[in-house]
Amino acid sequence: MTRILYRILAAAVLLLAAAGAHAQPWPNKPIRIIVPVATGGIADYYSRLIGPKLTEIWGQPVLVENRAGGGGNIGGDAVAKAPADGYTLMMGFPGPNLVNQFLFKSMPYSPARDLVPIIMVSEADGLLAVHPSVPINSIADLLAQARANPGKLTYSSGGVGTASHLAGELFKSMANVDIVHVPYKGNSPAVTDLIGGQVQMSFATLTTIVPHVRSGKLRGIAVTGNQRSAATPELPTIAEAGVPGFAVNNWIGLFAPAGTPDDIVRRLNAEVTKIMQAPEVAARMVQQGERFTPNSPEDFNRFLRAESQKWEKVIRDAGLKAE
């Protein structure tokens, strides 16, 4: 009898210990933010800005880990298959979190099913720019030139499926024009050849291209977003300049594995919101043509659904495939 009581008490102690460990407040160990591209770029920048600030708030290390490859799918898959405990996060962007599922023949994970959106961290404006030798000063000029010379105008991009490429495909579809896509291995060579006159135009990110517009090497025509940019207030949106409804923004956002507890998701949302609203962060975003708008996980999810429908149609109608 004594032996049985001893076993019962021992089991109770173990259960209490396990319950105590489970009840420890989150976070109680290091957190990883996986960035599915190499160092550099907007997703990496904001991960390294947010990580140290969360470390200060929580007293636990928030580490940034770059896992490049597969158009972002390698890093995305690592997060999708990680434990849903709030200790593995992803700084995602349109490729691995939205458009790759329509570009790749197969995906190792489902962005909608296997990842939960936490917060959109930044939207970056795009800018349509042309080489100065091209006699185009407005969207009206571009439409007239493209319709008079189908298949003659070329636009560069950072590669198949990138924001700069998809912006061009959406423009072609909505404006009913024939312009030719010239893909490069990255935004830098795409802009370099635009400056050199090897291509006529590009729908590049504002941060990449504005310095060249201001130096006179390129001519800015219009911004790609749904509102004018604080960095280039003199330039209209493509929508207001002649292609109603056109809108393309290059965004980044924080994600977690599906099943992550809702209280953790909301706590992350609240803390990141405070970080992004800090005056020094907000000032830097304006200078770079980026913006943060407070948003809930539900807001972000609705945005992703709408973007998914839009880009699925564009990609399938154009017959685009990952290279």
Side-chain angles (χ1 to χ4, degrees), residues 197-216:
Q198 281 78 25
V199 290
Q200 280 84 50
M201 58 187 174
S202 185
F203 298 81
T205 57
L206 193 145
T207 51
T208 302
I209 213 160
V210 156
H212 305 298
V213 170
R214 289 176 177 158
S215 70

Side-chain angles (χ1 to χ4, degrees), residues 185-244:
K185 293 183 178 180
N187 290 320
S188 181
V191 172
T192 297
D193 268 15
L194 174 60
I195 292 169
Q198 281 78 25
V199 290
Q200 280 84 50
M201 58 187 174
S202 185
F203 298 81
T205 57
L206 193 145
T207 51
T208 302
I209 213 160
V210 156
H212 305 298
V213 170
R214 289 176 177 158
S215 70
K217 294 177 182 177
L218 297 173
R219 182 186 305 124
I221 301 298
V223 294
T224 65
N226 51 17
Q227 58 184 295
R228 292 196 181 202
S229 171
T232 55
E234 73 281 5
L235 293 179
T237 66
I238 290 175
E240 70 178 290
V243 187

Side-chain angles (χ1 to χ4, degrees), residues 5-283:
L5 286 172
Y6 175 79
R7 287 177 177 172
I8 292 172
L9 286 171
V13 168
L14 288 172
L15 285 171
L16 286 171
H22 180 71
Q24 283 184 325
W26 177 92
N28 55 51
K29 63 180 182 178
I31 296 170
R32 291 184 304 160
I33 299 178
I34 290 180
V35 182
V37 289
T39 54
I42 187 171
D44 187 64
Y45 172 84
Y46 281 110
S47 297
R48 296 179 188 280
L49 180 146
I50 290 168
K53 294 184 182 296
L54 291 178
T55 297
E56 292 175 12
I57 295 167
W58 292 329
Q60 291 291 342
V62 179
L63 310 172
V64 177
E65 181 180 331
N66 296 86
R67 287 205 189 182
N73 288 348
I74 290 175
D77 189 44
V79 178
K81 291 180 169 58
D85 55 10
Y87 291 100
T88 302
L89 308 173
M90 174 185 184
M91 191 62 79
F93 50 90
N97 294 89
L98 192 66
V99 302
N100 284 1
Q101 61 188 318
F102 309 124
L103 287 169
F104 284 77
K105 187 175 181 180
S106 63
M107 288 275 288
Y109 63 97
S110 164
R113 186 186 64 239
D114 299 332
L115 297 167
V116 60
I118 297 171
I119 186 168
M120 185 191 292
V121 172
S122 169
E123 288 183 276
D125 294 313
L127 176 63
L128 171 59
V130 301
H131 189 269
S133 66
V134 180
I136 292 174
N137 294 283
S138 66
I139 292 297
D141 289 345
L142 171 55
L143 295 177
Q145 286 262 8
R147 288 167 181 162
N149 303 282
K152 299 295 184 183
L153 291 174
T154 58
Y155 75 97
S156 64
S157 84
V160 173
T162 59
S164 51
H165 176 208
L166 295 179
E169 291 299 327
L170 183 64
F171 185 85
K172 288 166 62 175
S173 173
M174 294 186 70
N176 192 28
V177 294
D178 180 13
I179 56 178
V180 178
H181 175 226
V182 182
Y184 288 80
K185 293 183 178 180
N187 290 320
S188 181
V191 172
T192 297
D193 268 15
L194 174 60
I195 292 169
Q198 281 78 25
V199 290
Q200 280 84 50
M201 58 187 174
S202 185
F203 298 81
T205 57
L206 193 145
T207 51
T208 302
I209 213 160
V210 156
H212 305 298
V213 170
R214 289 176 177 158
S215 70
K217 294 177 182 177
L218 297 173
R219 182 186 305 124
I221 301 298
V223 294
T224 65
N226 51 17
Q227 58 184 295
R228 292 196 181 202
S229 171
T232 55
E234 73 281 5
L235 293 179
T237 66
I238 290 175
E240 70 178 290
V243 187
F246 183 95
V248 178
N249 286 324
N250 193 13
W251 54 265
I252 63 164
L254 203 60
F255 294 79
T260 298
D262 186 65
D263 60 331
I264 292 177
V265 169
R266 295 193 182 280
R267 190 173 172 195
L268 279 161
N269 181 284
E271 297 295 358
V272 172
T273 296
K274 292 176 188 175
I275 292 168
M276 299 307 298
Q277 289 181 317
E280 66 275 13
V281 176

